[in-house]
Amino acid sequence: MPHEVDESFLALPLRALADAALARARALGATHADFRLERVRSAAWRLRDARPAGSSDTTDLGYAVRVVHGGAWGFASGVDLTMDAAARVASQAVEMAKLSARVIAAAGSDERVELAAEPVYADRTWVSSYETDPFTVPDAEKTGLLAEWSSRLLAAPAVSHADASLLTVHENKFYADTAGTTTTQQRVRLHPELTAVAVDPESGEFESMRTIAPPVGRGWEYLTGAGGWDWDAELAEIPELLAEKMRAPGVEPGRYDLVVHPSNLWLTIHESIGHATELDRALGYEAAYAGTSFATFDQLGSLRYGSDLMNVTGDRTAEHGLATVGYDDEGVAAQSWNLVKDGTLVGYQLDRRIAKLTGFERSNGCAYADSPAHVPVQRMANVSLRPAPDGPSTEELISGVERGIYVVGDRSWSIDMQRYNFQFTGQRFFRIENGRLAGQLRDVAYQATTTDFWGSMKAVGGPETYLLCGAFNCGKAQPGQVAAVSHGCPSALFENVNILNTTQEAGR
Amino acid sequence: MSTVNPASGKPHEIVERALELSRADGCVVIADEHSGANLRWAGNALTTNGVTRGRTLTVIATVGGAEGTASGVVSRSAVTADDLEPLVRAAEAAAREAGPAEDAQPLVEGVPESPDFTEPPAETSSGVFAAFAPALGESFARARAGGRELYGFAAHNLTSSYLGTSTGLRLRHDQPTGTLELNAKSPDRTRSAWAGRPTRDFRDVDPLALDAELARRLAWAERRTELPAGRYETLLPPTAVADLLIYQQWSSTARDAAEGRTVFSKAGGGTRVGERLSGLPLTLRSDPREPGLESAPFVLAHSSGDDASVFDNGLPLEPTEWLRGGELNRLITTRHTAGLTGLPLAPGMDNLVLDAGGSRSLDDMVAASGHDGPCLLLTCLWYIREVDPATLLLTGLTRDGVYLVEKGEVTAEVNNFRFNESPVSLLGRATEAGVTERTLPREWGDWFTRAAMPALRVPDFHMSSVSQGV
């Protein structure tokens, strides 16, 4: 059902504040200025063993002015919704730009900020795709559902504890710039999660198993069975899977073929492709913090990223995607484009400054700020591995493996600062013997380097295996920002991947 | 719209007004006044810099019922006078809908009022960089002339928190937090070095001195040697020790341990409190009045969780020894979880100090290393994530310089590694702790900056694989 932007947001003095800020920035000599007013409402509920264990409901409202003045960036933010205050914040942004320009000049640099051109979009409105805004659902209904689900898990003898959480976000943004673009947007997203814990008090051993249902750009319908996830089925299978995991043998370290379910593969894509193809990183703008990238700009069009089966897109348009928008935080219209085609690096994620700097005609719309107090930085689009049009099912992928492991759900993740060396664990690991699943394994981690791993991809599942997964908490930039992002992918087969036993890694 | 202007506002009055509006059985109001300024740079040039101002008002309503007391927590930024009553009512409605809170306790009372409760908030601005920014520009020029590229970030934030409760508490805390991170690279980016400093006011940090320190390290890296994965004697500098022990501290909640689901759970039931974890006489402690690392001297809880309870807001914080003489002495408790577990009350705090009485600097420890075989000197750790809660096995990577120490001197740079290690296990295997010094945790510096740690010598640090990343 299409929604309108909330009246309470539209009732804020959006244009008046923008006009005051942009006029002041122009008057002070800014060659570009943009104004962004945001209202972000985030609420969270936690339950332990079906009882409320904490909640919060936070609304962040404020605005930001970003300018280019004297060839340097300046940024300031404020919360006072008066014209004078907005103009004052614009003045502060210009002052910050002047400070930057002085320091840059003192360093003997001739670097100047310029922005790639973008058509002007006047008075555009965009609302994400959802049925029921979760903030219209009574809190008691939310916690009641989480408690009921927790109780189902706790009813099983194998389950000692059940943790439940729900995060919901309702985000409104108004953007205006000195070129004449004005956009007003509204997005909704939510992330439910349940974890069952088994404890053997005598031995001191414990294990957990979490739902693999992904966070989504949907509304409350996601929790009621109308939003594409079968919660009843997943909750019903977890206790027995957990009990089996408690009894499962530790994996024998070595090299195995892996069939990786989308609920795990999305995170490997995020870390080893999503971040690696951010061009600001590759150029060094995140070098001191998030890091750089092995996928350097000089390798565009030539770097063999993976096997010929590998096709990856950047996409700001996917329905229900967590990084899906109508326009980014620089007024650039949402787009979809290739990052890796037939295994070769063919594209990057861009914002307007980086696009201009590197000779691209246009940004592909990857500027995002997570709050009105933060400057937009280049953030990830929905970065997704395309399925093979006539590709196999997950069962068919498994059937082709003689000795391997089927990996389901994400857990631990870590990758180096140039996105080479990574190590991931998961929620569920099943032995594959002669094309069949043969029970679970414990203590499994897979470790590889990015191009080795993607080069080892020998089969890609068909569209029926495709699932849009993702996270709310992708971190980048200083001051630190978090962004929500989705990654779609099919199941896929990887040959000869290094498997560690995490208990042995711990020296036990 | 009538407006409570944060720039000229009186947050204590907003707290009082919100408390007056409350119709709940109990009410806690926290007004946080934020100001911040930051500079960011890459390739010897400033990039994105900014100043911010803001206010967040958090209202915690508690409502009694037949089955127990419930709580509702609602926070709003940019609060206007018109917003106050809706905000209070929203918190009350959230409490009524929430059902009994399992951490419910009587609200804290009897704590003396802060003498500065009615004073205006402290604030920072870009002026905090008045001396630092020109020095930074000079360091850019010097680095450029010396064939180095500088990357980094300087941030100064100040939060004034005003806490009022319906039980009469009127408390205030001003928290300055400053960090400086400087990363130097060779122009071909094959060599990289990093240094970080915590600061309260940027008067005690010198980018030129840090650049000189990094130039020394880049010079160390002019000779490079490759080493395979394996276990190596390793010197962990204070920043790396901080990152490992902060994660351990975050994993030290008493309730989880008592329920049998952490590294601090004891087989057969209960916790490992009282068990010796290290042969070194290590003390791991928090103290809100630790000189240079001062943090809030009372509980400020904006929501309840495993390590905090909104019902404990205002509870005075006292010096706490988490480890004493190498023995596990305390786990994090709220009043609720202290009751559940039978362990002493020990709320979490915002600083952490590890001390074993060592007197040797990291340079002294280097001089004493590499005489019986190679030793590795790390710069810092990165992308630390939990692999196995049962052992608190963490994975992550070395970053910005691993150096080979031979016969008391750094002789080369070594490739980076992925490690798989548990801080609890490391404490048990460490053979030496150096002098304790203030340090900036590299990995967790976005969330936790107030730390003082020694360097640790570990005879067999587990480098699980080689990382090509620089």
Side-chain angles (χ1 to χ4, degrees):
Chain A
M1 169 196 319
H3 289 263
E4 303 292 327
V5 176
D6 285 1
E7 286 297 328
S8 60
F9 184 71
L10 296 175
L12 295 169
L14 305 172
R15 287 169 194 276
L17 292 170
D19 289 347
L22 297 178
R24 174 65 64 86
R26 264 198 212 94
L28 293 173
T31 53
H32 165 89
D34 53 61
F35 172 90
R36 178 170 44 84
L37 191 148
E38 294 191 17
R39 185 183 69 184
V40 184
R41 185 175 179 189
S42 309
W45 296 264
R46 293 176 63 253
L47 284 78
R48 279 182 81 120
D49 295 339
R51 297 186 64 192
S55 66
S56 62
D57 180 347
T58 301
T59 301
D60 192 8
L61 173 66
Y63 56 88
V65 180
R66 188 180 64 156
V67 302
V68 180
H69 186 284
W73 283 124
F75 174 83
S77 71
V79 296
D80 189 359
L81 305 183
T82 66
M83 312 315 131
D84 284 349
R88 197 162 50 244
V89 168
S91 300
Q92 290 173 336
V94 170
E95 284 306 309
M96 286 304 290
K98 289 179 176 176
L99 172 68
S100 295
R102 283 198 299 274
V103 174
I104 290 168
S109 170
D110 56 1
E111 185 165 320
R112 294 182 67 81
V113 173
E114 296 180 73
L115 305 181
E118 178 69 12
V120 171
Y121 309 101
D123 298 324
R124 300 293 179 92
T125 296
W126 182 88
V127 179
S128 68
S129 176
Y130 61 91
E131 295 287 329
T132 304
D133 181 347
F135 287 97
T136 64
V137 176
D139 288 357
E141 189 173 333
K142 293 175 187 139
T143 53
L145 182 62
L146 294 177
E148 196 270 316
W149 284 355
S150 299
S151 298
R152 286 193 215 173
L153 295 174
L154 289 166
V159 178
S160 306
H161 299 284
D163 299 326
S165 66
L166 174 65
L167 306 175
T168 60
V169 180
H170 182 113
E171 177 184 293
N172 282 111
K173 288 198 186 201
F174 172 80
Y175 171 90
D177 63 30
T178 44
T181 287
T182 55
T183 63
T184 308
Q185 303 188 77
Q186 179 164 297
R187 299 198 297 167
V188 164
R189 55 185 180 269
L190 80 178
H191 186 192
E193 192 173 275
L194 281 94
T195 303
V197 182
V199 178
D200 180 344
E202 291 310 309
S203 68
E205 292 205 0
F206 61 94
E207 260 298 353
S208 66
M209 187 169 288
R210 202 185 68 220
T211 48
I212 61 170
V216 288
R218 294 179 185 264
W220 181 247
E221 67 277 4
Y222 185 53
L223 285 92
T224 61
W229 194 259
D230 189 342
W231 287 95
D232 289 340
E234 180 163 31
L235 292 169
E237 71 177 1
I238 281 180
E240 182 49 39
L241 284 170
L242 177 60
E244 183 191 10
K245 190 177 181 183
M246 277 289 275
R247 299 189 300 266
V251 69
E252 185 69 27
R255 304 193 80 86
Y256 293 80
D257 293 347
L258 301 186
V259 175
V260 187
H261 187 264
S263 57
N264 183 274
L265 190 58
W266 75 269
L267 188 46
T268 311
I269 292 169
H270 175 85
E271 298 292 358
S272 68
I273 307 172
H275 279 306
T277 57
E278 295 166 335
L279 189 48
D280 64 334
R281 288 183 63 113
L283 296 175
Y285 289 95
E286 284 285 330
Y289 182 62
T292 59
S293 173
F294 74 94
T296 50
F297 189 50
D298 58 308
Q299 300 182 88
L300 181 64
S302 63
L303 174 66
R304 285 303 295 172
Y305 217 110
S307 79
D308 292 343
L309 302 171
M310 184 185 187
N311 289 285
V312 179
T313 55
D315 187 2
R316 299 281 269 173
T317 67
E319 189 176 26
H320 305 306
L322 295 169
T324 299
V325 294
Y327 304 87
D328 79 352
D329 288 352
E330 294 184 321
V332 176
Q335 300 157 49
S336 179
W337 68 100
N338 290 325
L339 291 168
V340 178
K341 186 163 177 51
D342 301 329
T344 299
L345 175 72
V346 296
Y348 283 104
Q349 301 166 74
L350 309 168
D351 61 19
R352 292 178 66 179
R353 193 274 169 108
I354 296 296
K356 180 71 175 180
L357 191 67
T358 47
F360 286 91
E361 285 188 2
R362 185 187 177 203
S363 164
N364 46 35
C366 290
Y368 175 75
D370 70 351
S371 96
H374 284 153
V375 66
V377 290
Q378 191 184 296
R379 295 311 303 265
M380 210 178 292
N382 303 302
V383 171
S384 300
L385 176 69
R386 307 319 310 173
D390 301 314
S393 67
T394 303
E395 291 72 23
E396 288 168 331
L397 287 170
I398 291 169
S399 70
V401 174
E402 188 176 332
R403 173 180 177 269
I405 299 172
Y406 175 44
V407 185
V408 180
D410 66 85
R411 192 162 181 170
S412 178
W413 70 100
S414 174
I415 191 165
D416 75 25
M417 53 283 180
Q418 285 191 287
R419 305 279 145 175
Y420 284 118
N421 176 307
F422 60 68
Q423 178 176 307
F424 292 88
T425 62
Q427 292 294 323
R428 308 163 198 174
F429 295 92
F430 300 88
R431 275 186 301 140
I432 305 173
E433 289 182 355
N434 301 317
R436 292 174 177 273
L437 298 186
Q440 288 186 70
L441 293 165
R442 282 180 75 168
D443 310 326
V444 182
Y446 64 97
Q447 203 179 76
T449 54
T450 295
T451 48
D452 285 351
F453 182 77
W454 290 108
S456 78
M457 188 168 68
K458 296 303 178 194
V460 176
E464 75 275 16
T465 73
Y466 188 85
L467 184 63
L468 194 63
C469 299
F472 269 33
N473 59 342
C474 170
K476 189 179 175 184
Q478 290 179 308
Q481 299 193 36
V482 292
V485 59
S486 290
H487 300 279
C489 54
S491 294
L493 168 65
F494 300 84
E495 281 189 346
N496 201 31
V497 179
N498 188 35
I499 295 293
L500 309 177
N501 180 302
T502 57
T503 300
Q504 292 179 18
E505 288 292 298
R508 284 204 301 177
Chain B
M1 175 166 47
S2 60
T3 301
V4 178
N5 182 354
S8 62
K10 295 180 177 176
H12 73 281
E13 291 181 354
I14 294 174
V15 170
E16 298 292 357
R17 177 68 183 139
L19 288 169
E20 288 167 12
L21 288 165
S22 171
R23 297 174 192 155
D25 296 325
C27 188
V28 177
V29 180
I30 305 171
D32 292 308
E33 298 279 340
H34 314 278
S35 55
N38 60 75
L39 303 174
R40 196 178 195 205
W41 55 95
N44 297 328
L46 286 178
T47 55
T48 49
N49 319 296
V51 291
T52 61
R53 287 295 307 264
R55 163 181 293 157
T56 305
L57 193 69
T58 300
V59 178
I60 301 157
T62 66
V63 177
E67 297 175 16
T69 300
S71 65
V73 183
V74 179
S75 300
R76 297 273 185 275
S77 68
V79 173
T80 68
D82 292 342
D83 298 327
L84 268 182
E85 181 155 10
L87 173 56
V88 173
R89 299 292 164 254
E92 291 166 354
R96 282 193 296 274
E97 285 201 51
E102 65 167 359
D103 60 332
Q105 299 281 316
L107 294 181
V108 176
E109 52 189 319
V111 181
E113 179 173 327
S114 298
D116 56 353
F117 184 73
T118 58
E119 296 296 315
E123 63 181 53
T124 189
S125 70
S126 58
V128 75
F129 299 128
F132 174 81
L136 183 64
E138 194 179 337
S139 67
F140 291 164
R142 186 181 295 184
R144 186 182 300 272
R148 297 181 300 282
E149 292 183 343
L150 294 184
Y151 302 79
F153 182 61
H156 194 248
N157 294 292
L158 221 162
T159 300
S160 292
S161 298
Y162 297 76
L163 168 70
T165 71
S166 55
T167 49
L169 299 196
R170 298 293 185 270
L171 300 174
R172 175 204 170 132
H173 177 67
D174 295 334
Q175 185 66 67
T177 303
T179 59
L180 167 62
E181 295 187 60
L182 195 63
N183 174 214
K185 293 184 185 299
S186 59
D188 62 0
R189 297 192 192 156
T190 59
R191 293 175 288 142
S192 185
W194 178 87
R197 295 286 186 274
T199 178
R200 287 172 68 85
D201 53 19
F202 272 84
R203 286 185 293 190
D204 55 351
V205 291
D206 180 355
L208 288 160
L210 284 183
D211 174 52
E213 180 183 326
L214 297 183
R216 175 187 178 219
R217 287 182 167 247
L218 288 184
W220 283 350
E222 285 175 357
R223 177 170 175 255
R224 185 177 169 88
T225 187
E226 304 294 322
L227 285 178
R231 288 183 178 271
Y232 293 95
E233 177 170 320
T234 299
L235 296 176
L236 293 170
T239 176
V241 175
D243 277 326
L244 294 169
L245 289 189
I246 287 166
Y247 197 90
Q248 175 179 306
Q249 188 64 9
W250 286 340
S251 307
S252 298
T253 56
R255 183 178 183 181
D256 284 337
E259 289 180 348
R261 43 172 159 165
T262 80
V263 68
F264 297 116
S265 304
K266 188 160 68 178
T271 72
R272 294 173 65 186
V273 169
E275 186 176 317
R276 176 166 289 279
L277 300 183
S278 176
L280 296 174
L282 295 172
T283 299
L284 182 69
R285 60 187 170 81
S286 299
D287 179 354
R289 294 168 190 84
E290 182 76 20
L293 301 175
E294 292 87 350
S295 61
F298 54 87
V299 170
L300 273 169
H302 296 78
S303 64
S304 287
D306 295 338
D307 59 350
S309 167
V310 293
F311 291 92
D312 289 350
N313 268 304
L315 198 67
L317 295 172
E318 302 299 335
T320 302
E321 292 182 337
W322 310 103
L323 298 178
R324 176 187 290 166
E327 188 176 282
L328 183 63
N329 184 56
R330 290 283 183 274
L331 293 169
I332 297 171
T333 54
T334 63
R335 285 182 295 167
H336 167 63
T337 60
L340 276 181
T341 61
L343 293 171
L345 177 63
M349 280 177 259
D350 206 10
N351 62 28
L352 196 63
V353 177
L354 181 71
D355 196 341
S359 59
R360 290 213 282 194
S361 69
L362 187 55
D363 282 348
D364 294 337
M365 292 172 73
V366 168
S369 302
H371 296 283
D372 303 317
C375 175
L376 300 181
L377 169 65
L378 305 187
T379 298
C380 56
L381 304 179
W382 182 246
Y383 220 134
I384 299 169
R385 292 293 182 274
E386 182 179 296
V387 177
D388 181 6
T391 54
L392 204 60
L393 180 70
L394 305 178
T395 195
L397 299 128
T398 64
R399 186 170 179 182
D400 294 313
V402 178
Y403 304 103
L404 180 65
V405 180
E406 296 175 299
K407 296 184 173 25
E409 292 189 353
V410 173
T411 57
E413 184 183 52
V414 179
N415 47 272
N416 279 304
F417 296 97
R418 168 172 299 287
F419 68 86
N420 277 321
E421 275 288 3
S422 162
V424 180
S425 173
L426 285 178
L427 292 179
R429 288 150 46 214
T431 54
E432 181 186 2
V435 64
T436 294
E437 60 185 62
R438 286 178 61 193
T439 188
L440 179 66
R442 173 89 191 261
E443 168 80 349
W444 307 122
D446 284 354
W447 296 275
F448 199 106
T449 61
R450 283 171 278 281
M453 298 279 152
L456 288 181
R457 182 189 304 279
V458 180
D460 53 355
F461 194 86
H462 183 198
M463 302 297 189
S464 178
S465 59
V466 169
S467 159
Q468 297 165 269
V470 177

